[in-house]
Every structure is written in structure tokens, then in C-alpha cells.
Amino acid sequence: MRAARSRLTAQLRSADQPTEEQLRRFDAFLTRAYKRQVPLHWEQDDALQDGFRLQVGSDVYDWTLDGRVRQFQDYLRKLEPGNNDIVPLMRQAVEHWEPIPAPEEMGEVLSVDSDIAAVSGLAHAQYGEILVFEGGVKGMVQDLRPEGLSCILFGDGEEIRAGSMVRRTLKTAGMPVGEGYLGRVVDALGLPVDGKGSIEPEGWRPMETPAPGILDRQPVNTPMETGLLAIDSMFPIGRGQRELIIGDRQTGKTAIALDTILNQKGKDVVCVYVAIGQKTSSVAQLAENLARRGAMEYTTIVTAPAGASAALQYIAPYAGCALAEYFMYQGDDVLIVYDDLSKHAIAYRALSLLLERSPGREAYPGDVFYLHSRLLERSAHLSDELGGGSMTALPIVETQAGDVSAYIPTNIISITDGQIFLESDLFFAGQRPAVNVGLSVSRVGGDAQTKAKKSAAGAIRLDLAQYREMEVFTQFSSDLDEATKRQLSYGQGLMRLLRQPQYAPLSHHQQVIVLTAAMDHVMQDVPLNKMDEFRAGLLDCVEREGADLCARIDQTGKLSEDDREEILDLARAYLARFQAGGKQGS
């Protein structure tokens, strides 16, 4: 430390050479500020026509026009107006403000390459801190080394040159938050990209915060229904859970997430959809679909498209999570979708390789597990002392040829509370959603189901598993006994019943009605090509003739024996009319 102080020198940069009087004043200032004589050297810099810049070690006194304007802006931020009128505040600031020689810690750009800038001179900068480069481009410290640091750039790095100055902000990366973000499409920095004007934030949250501790959480026991019969009946999701949606490309992963968002309409759930590495046209079409169905009113889309830098794709899910946390800590229930974390890991791998970090398995860096665990662990059902809010995460991961044993899928499977596996063969066979019953699981299970749903679903998963096994063993057999044929017919009917078109989520009582009738074999003899028509007619019949029954199921979440019998009586009566109508038609 003593040796470092003995080497302390001052460098003055300006367009014009200082006079002898000015040099004496500089010497007096340095002696007063640093309690010793500091050698002063002058260097001509034609870019500084409006002032000078004095650098003493890592301290920089920026007396250029930009430096004084920045100091004035900092002064304004510290003032707290007593009312909403900004004019007296500005008048007071102008009358009383005087620029003072305050040091800033500034560094120098060593090199810029592919959204990565190497910087020297910022000895006290911290990991995750935001830096500001000349021209206003911002970056985030991502790598700390003895000889300097490296940061990722959030803007166009073409304006940054080696030798240009960079200054600390003493702030970590954050996301502006507020109710105004609902119904909007924003980028990873919180700036609107939907052409609907600016957004007035109500606060600011850091992008990275510690996950709630065990004592700050409570059990996951409230349903977060997707509206999809295949999922809500067998793999229920609870508020505060993390349920992975995994499958090959083009197997309906995003469709499940969108249907889940649509199903939250009128349920006081805030939705955040994070699009990572997708085409801008796809995101625009998604926003249009949600708006057309009235879902954008409670939804925010955070997008880092394929054309965005790897740095923006890297911070996008953390930005979306920060926005979701704002609502969660206000006591709201939040659903957040990360679509998808495979592209997020690829963006982080690109940044890590540019930062010269050692590649590991599949060229990913060693901390890629921590990359996603510190994101997904922030989902929780908060304790009542913290407001009781929740954040439910639906991360999406893309597999290659159904390989769930690859690096990123296995990492995220171990972090989440279950997975919904979508199988390509089922999808191309017309089974949509193409949920594989054997590989899918929810580790919360029945705790996140209403008693009515749990009672109505019965042993549907076991019946489907038996059907899939029997189908494999009997596909080459032509001589089957009647009981086996009937079991196959029942299983085929169940599979057909679980098919559901996109943008048509079923309500709670509709699922209970369909499951109750199906598990009692009411639909056993309905032809497969008539199953969709029968289901729609059955729901219409029960809702029309048993309106009180439907309201009771929704309100209480329970299914009494009398309610079950009423559903079955209505279903059998409708089946008779349906079959009679079919015979007359034929």
C-alpha cells in the first residue's frame, strides 16, 4: 500500500496547455486532497474542447461539460420534491447547485470484441456492476481478473474504441418494474418495443437476488391449472412450483404455456412470458394471439430475439424474474414462462467462451448449472408474513431426438419439481398435447389438486399406462379375447378424450365432468371419430341442465357422492340421446 502511494501521479488532459497559474492551482488542490506532493503531467487531448479531465491513480475528476451535466443530474436525483410540480424543484436546483471537484473511479477500454469489452483501471468494480462507456453504451461486469475486468455490452459496441473512458455507476443490473408493464412487450432492459409509448416505472428491482429461504416459504398446495385435461388430471401444477416442459422442436411446448396463460383469465394471476432467441415475428404473433383473447391485460412479454446480442439473451430471464418478483412480493400470484432455457444456455456458453473461460462438457462452462438454479430457485409460495404471493415457473427446454439425458435437460430436470415430456411420435400421430404419461411427473402431485379433481381423475394415469403396455404387446396379435379388446377400446377412448385443440382450455368444472364420465366408462362405446363431438355436447348438456352443480364444484372444489351421481345421470341420458341421434342419422 505504501509503495502504491509512493507511485501516485496525476495526469491532466485538455485541449489547451494550462498556464503557470493554473498549474499552481492544480498542485495546491492535489496537495490538499492527497496530503502530499503529487507529480502532475499534462497531455494534450483535442477531444476535450469544453474542459479538462484530471486522473489521480484510479480517481478521475471530470471537468468536461458531460462531467458537470452528469454531476448536476446526480444532484437532482437526491432532491425530494414536496409536490408533483417539477418547476420549483428545477429552479431551486439551478439557484443552489455549484459544481464541486468530486472524484469518480474511471477506467480505460483495452479492447472490444464481439459484445465483450476488456477494461483496466477499475480496481474496485464488483461482479454484476453496471458500467457506462463514452457514448452512453452500458455494460455489466462479468469477469474479474488481477490485470483488469471484462464486461458484456448491452448496446452497439461499434462506438466504443480502445482508449475510451468507462466509469462505474455503483449499481448492479436492474429492471424497472410497475403495473404499467402489464399488457406491454419490452426488451431485457425494460424498454418498450411494441410502439405503444414509454412506460412510467413504479420502482426498480435488481435482476439477481437471493432466493427466498425455507422459513420464508410455505407449502405448495394451491392449483395453478393449465386448462389442459391431460396435465391437470395427471400432473397437476401448484402455485409456487417449477414444472419443466421438455420435448423436441415443434412438439407443442409453447402451445402448453400459452394455453396456461389463457386459462388464468379472471383468476387474478399475473403472467410474464420471457422469449429467448425467438424470431421477432413469432413474438409479435404470440402477443397478437394473447391480445385477441383478452390475455395481454394481465401479461407482460420480455423478449430478447434471435437478432439480439448474447448479453441481452443472457439477462432476459433474470429481467423477467425481477418483474415477476415485484408482483409476488406485493402478494400477487404470478406465472412466468421461460421459452426457452436451451437457447439461454447457448447464449451463456457463447459469452463464456469469449471471456476465455474453460469449456467443459458439450463446451458449456462449469457454472452452467448454477446459471439456471439461481434463476429457478426464486420461484416460491411465500409465507403469509411476506404477503403470501407466489411465483410459478414453467421453464421450457428443447431436446434433440428425444434425448433427455443431455447436459442441459438433466441439469434442469434436477432443479425443477417435475417435468411434462412431449413425445414426437404422439404429436405426429395427432395426440395433442403429446404428453408422455410414463416419463412425465409432478413432484407436488395431488397436493396441488382440488378434492373434486382428485376424486374425478381416479386411476386415469394407471389405466393409461396399462393401455400403453397392452397396446405394445397386442399390436402383432390378431386373436384377442373380448376383455382385452374392451380394455384396448377403453384406453383408445381415454387417449382420444385427452386430445384438446389449442386456445381452448377447459374450466375446472368442465374437467371434473369429463373425468367423472370417462372413469365410469360412460364413453366406452362412443366411436373414436365421434369423441370430440360427444365431449362438447356432454359439457353443453351438463352446464345447461346442471348449472347449480357446475357452480358448486367451482366454488367448493369438492365433489360429493350426490354430485357424482348427478353428473353420471346426466351423462348417461345424454349418451342415450347421442346414440339415438347417430342411429337416426345413419
Side-chain angles (χ1 to χ4, degrees), residues 321-341:
C321 188
L323 181 62
E325 280 181 330
Y326 167 76
F327 293 104
M328 177 177 70
Y329 281 102
Q330 284 192 327
D332 296 327
D333 292 310
V334 186
L335 171 69
I336 183 165
V337 177
Y338 303 109
D339 191 7
D340 65 68
L341 292 187

Side-chain angles (χ1 to χ4, degrees), residues 118 394 503 545:
L394 293 182
Y503 308 127
E545 300 179 21

Side-chain angles (χ1 to χ4, degrees), residues 125-393:
Q126 300 178 2
Y127 179 84
E129 183 178 343
I130 296 298
L131 306 180
V132 178
F133 295 81
E134 289 184 15
V137 177
K138 294 183 179 180
M140 184 174 74
V141 177
Q142 193 69 18
D143 198 46
L144 296 171
R145 299 184 183 182
E147 63 273 15
L149 57 86
S150 297
C151 67
I152 56 178
L153 302 177
F154 295 148
D156 188 1
E158 292 184 359
E159 300 179 4
I160 303 173
R161 297 286 185 271
S164 60
M165 302 300 293
V166 54
R167 65 183 180 89
R168 296 179 62 191
T169 62
L170 305 178
K171 295 180 180 178
T172 57
M175 174 76 174
V177 295
E179 299 282 343
Y181 281 85
L182 294 179
R184 301 299 299 271
V185 183
V186 299
D187 65 12
L189 299 176
L191 302 175
V193 294
D194 52 7
K196 297 181 181 179
S198 61
I199 302 173
E200 189 65 33
E202 298 174 12
W204 179 92
R205 284 193 65 87
M207 288 189 184
E208 299 226 34
T209 55
I214 295 175
L215 296 179
D216 296 330
R217 301 172 182 249
Q218 60 177 306
V220 175
N221 50 23
T222 306
M224 173 67 74
E225 295 183 330
T226 65
L228 299 171
L229 191 62
I231 295 174
D232 292 340
S233 61
M234 295 181 285
F235 317 105
I237 301 171
R239 299 190 180 188
Q241 187 176 343
R242 303 152 300 176
E243 184 78 2
L244 173 63
I245 302 174
I246 185 170
D248 284 0
R249 184 174 178 273
Q250 298 291 331
T251 52
K253 301 184 295 298
T254 302
I256 288 178
L258 292 186
D259 281 342
T260 305
I261 292 175
L262 290 174
N263 196 51
Q264 308 314 311
K265 189 173 183 179
K267 297 182 179 179
D268 294 327
V269 175
V270 174
C271 298
V272 178
Y273 179 86
V274 183
I276 308 165
Q278 298 186 27
K279 292 187 293 185
T280 304
S281 59
S282 300
V283 177
Q285 184 178 8
L286 183 144
E288 183 183 348
N289 284 331
L290 291 177
R292 191 184 308 126
R293 293 166 175 83
M296 277 302 289
E297 299 171 3
Y298 53 88
T299 303
T300 300
I301 297 177
V302 179
T303 177
S309 66
L312 290 176
Q313 293 184 41
Y314 160 61
I315 67 168
Y318 299 102
C321 188
L323 181 62
E325 280 181 330
Y326 167 76
F327 293 104
M328 177 177 70
Y329 281 102
Q330 284 192 327
D332 296 327
D333 292 310
V334 186
L335 171 69
I336 183 165
V337 177
Y338 303 109
D339 191 7
D340 65 68
L341 292 187
S342 303
K343 294 185 178 69
H344 182 233
I346 291 172
Y348 185 65
R349 177 172 62 184
L351 290 176
S352 297
L353 293 174
L354 289 171
L355 290 168
E356 299 180 357
R357 293 178 178 170
S358 299
R361 177 178 167 187
E362 297 180 25
Y364 288 104
D367 63 340
V368 73
F369 180 91
Y370 181 57
L371 172 77
H372 291 141
S373 67
R374 72 178 191 265
L375 172 70
L376 296 173
E377 290 291 345
R378 291 160 70 178
S379 301
H381 185 191
L382 295 179
S383 63
D384 291 333
E385 290 77 11
L386 291 177
S390 69
M391 176 162 54
T392 307

